[in-house]
Amino acid sequence: MVQGVAFHDGRYMPAEEAKISILDPAFTRSDVVYDTATVWKGHFFRLDDHIARFFRSCEGMRLKPPHNAAEIKSILAECVDRAGLEDAYVQFVCTRGPFVDLANRDPRNCKNGFYAYAIPYIWIISKEKQDRGARIAIGSNRRIPDSAINQRIKNFNWMDLSRGVIEAFDRGYDHVVLLTPDGRVAEGPGFNVWIIKDGTLKTPKDNCLHGLTRRTVFDFARELNIPAVEVDLREEDLYNADEVFLSTEGGGLMPVGQVEDKIYGNGGPGMMTSQLRAEYWRRREAGWMGTKVTSLIAREPVVA
Ligand SMILES: Cc1ncc(COP(=O)(O)O)c(C=O)c1O
């Protein structure tokens, strides 16, 4: 049984008991947006940025969650606290909600739903694989481009990403990166992609979620005087890079040792990547840009 607590419709429950209606087009049509925040050592990271991105995603799909920002923050904190988690993966979701009239199925007048849950922290790529350098495949299928779905809206239309993961795992790789239909680097299932070339950090400018860890890397770069740019990257840029890493809330800055047949250095984490990764975890441990979970809870904390 997964340790975790979920919230829906004014009620907290064990995460495994939370259910969504089969009549909700969130289920039948992926008509749903979401956000994922994490908690490390009892602190949310960039929580206000996550909430702001969530509301932007909702607006992008003309969804109106039934809770405001302050209520959502306290719901998320309750989920984490009730689950008794110090390090947590926290997801919150706005669904379209069942159609009012099945004859015309108008998405505009559905009563939108809100769900949230906290479960133990998830490493998209395990720490052990990160330490030896992740091995990444390029998917044979393409990522849905912005022209079809604005990927800045955080969405669950993951069939392209899931297909890529299955293929990469079948081929013995740790994870996958997808290209756009016109051959530019897009992103992977739950992470952004970075290359380091001649001391400059480079990441795709579009056809990807603008991750908050990605934003954190830009923040570090500014502070540490490292050039960092958003550009179009092609597959060859990955093979010609000095270092490659991935960024996500679910694992931080994840070093890549290999993309397809190309091995970087000795296949382990690159030097600049290692420095940035250490900086990321040093700051997370210290609660940098953090909001203490218990500071958002009005009542006495639940003792697990
Ligand atoms: C498709 C996709 N790209 C990138 C990311 C990285 O975003 P963040 O750094 O905000 O976790 C995510 C995170 O879940 C994602 O789902």
Side-chain angles (χ1 to χ4, degrees):
M1 178 135 173
V2 176
Q3 181 191 2
V5 167
F7 169 92
H8 173 57
D9 226 1
R11 221 164 55 78
Y12 293 91
M13 63 206 88
E16 296 208 355
E17 285 176 19
K19 301 277 187 297
I20 174 171
S21 165
I22 57 164
L23 296 179
D24 191 328
F27 172 62
T28 52
R29 299 174 173 192
S30 286
D31 192 352
V32 51
V33 303
Y34 76 110
D35 216 284
T36 305
T38 59
V39 170
W40 194 256
K41 301 281 177 281
H43 289 79
F44 282 102
F45 183 52
R46 304 196 84 131
L47 183 58
D48 287 328
D49 293 332
H50 281 286
I51 301 280
R53 184 172 70 181
F54 177 68
F55 278 102
R56 279 199 305 279
S57 296
C58 289
E59 272 165 35
M61 281 307 293
R62 291 174 59 182
L63 289 161
K64 274 207 173 66
H67 299 286
N68 64 29
E71 288 164 351
I72 291 176
K73 283 200 245 183
S74 109
I75 290 166
L76 302 184
E78 282 281 350
C79 289
V80 176
D81 189 57
R82 287 172 187 242
L85 294 166
E86 269 285 285
D87 306 326
Y89 177 95
V90 185
Q91 199 155 78
F92 45 118
V93 178
C94 186
T95 70
R96 181 66 60 192
F99 292 118
V100 177
D101 174 2
L102 285 177
N104 75 9
R105 299 194 289 183
D106 185 341
R108 295 169 303 177
N109 52 23
C110 295
K111 186 168 165 251
N112 306 148
F114 179 82
Y115 299 74
Y117 64 89
I119 55 175
Y121 186 85
I122 288 176
W123 298 88
I124 292 183
I125 295 175
S126 72
K127 264 198 292 201
E128 295 69 31
K129 286 178 180 168
Q130 291 192 32
D131 289 344
R132 66 128 158 84
R135 297 172 188 147
I136 299 297
I138 301 295
S140 65
N141 64 302
R142 299 297 163 113
R143 177 71 170 134
I144 301 166
D146 281 344
S147 55
I149 294 177
N150 177 356
Q151 296 297 351
R152 288 180 190 59
I153 297 175
K154 198 160 160 61
N155 67 82
F156 278 141
N157 291 260
W158 269 47
M159 219 140 119
D160 51 353
L161 297 171
S162 297
R163 185 177 150 190
V165 173
I166 292 167
E167 183 186 275
F169 286 1
D170 276 351
R171 295 178 59 216
Y173 285 90
D174 298 327
H175 236 299
V176 71
V177 164
L178 294 191
L179 309 176
T180 62
D182 61 2
R184 286 175 286 158
V185 176
E187 60 188 338
F191 51 79
N192 290 114
V193 180
W194 292 82
I195 68 163
I196 305 178
K197 182 68 181 171
D198 299 328
T200 298
L201 303 173
K202 298 183 181 184
T203 195
K205 69 174 188 312
D206 46 26
N207 298 293
C208 59
L209 180 74
H210 281 187
L212 290 169
T213 322
R214 177 184 184 274
R215 192 185 295 176
T216 301
V217 174
F218 278 113
D219 291 344
F220 285 179
R222 240 187 332 273
E223 280 182 40
L224 303 170
N225 273 321
I226 303 169
V229 287
E230 296 179 308
V231 285
D232 279 339
L233 291 178
R234 309 209 61 97
E235 189 176 356
E236 305 75 68
D237 294 315
L238 290 174
Y239 303 133
N240 292 329
D242 301 322
E243 297 180 29
V244 174
F245 69 93
L246 314 169
S247 64
T248 171
E249 282 270 345
L253 275 51
M254 308 191 295
V256 171
Q258 179 176 346
V259 175
E260 290 289 335
D261 291 336
K262 163 76 186 187
I263 296 174
Y264 304 92
N266 61 5
M271 209 168 67
M272 264 178 96
T273 301
S274 298
Q275 284 163 358
L276 292 166
R277 182 184 178 210
E279 186 67 19
Y280 175 85
W281 284 110
R282 191 183 65 69
R283 295 194 193 204
R284 291 275 334 235
E285 293 280 338
W288 179 71
M289 289 196 129
T291 308
K292 204 164 186 230
V293 172
T294 49
S295 74
L296 296 168
I297 294 174
R299 57 165 179 77
E300 287 301 305
V302 171
V303 180

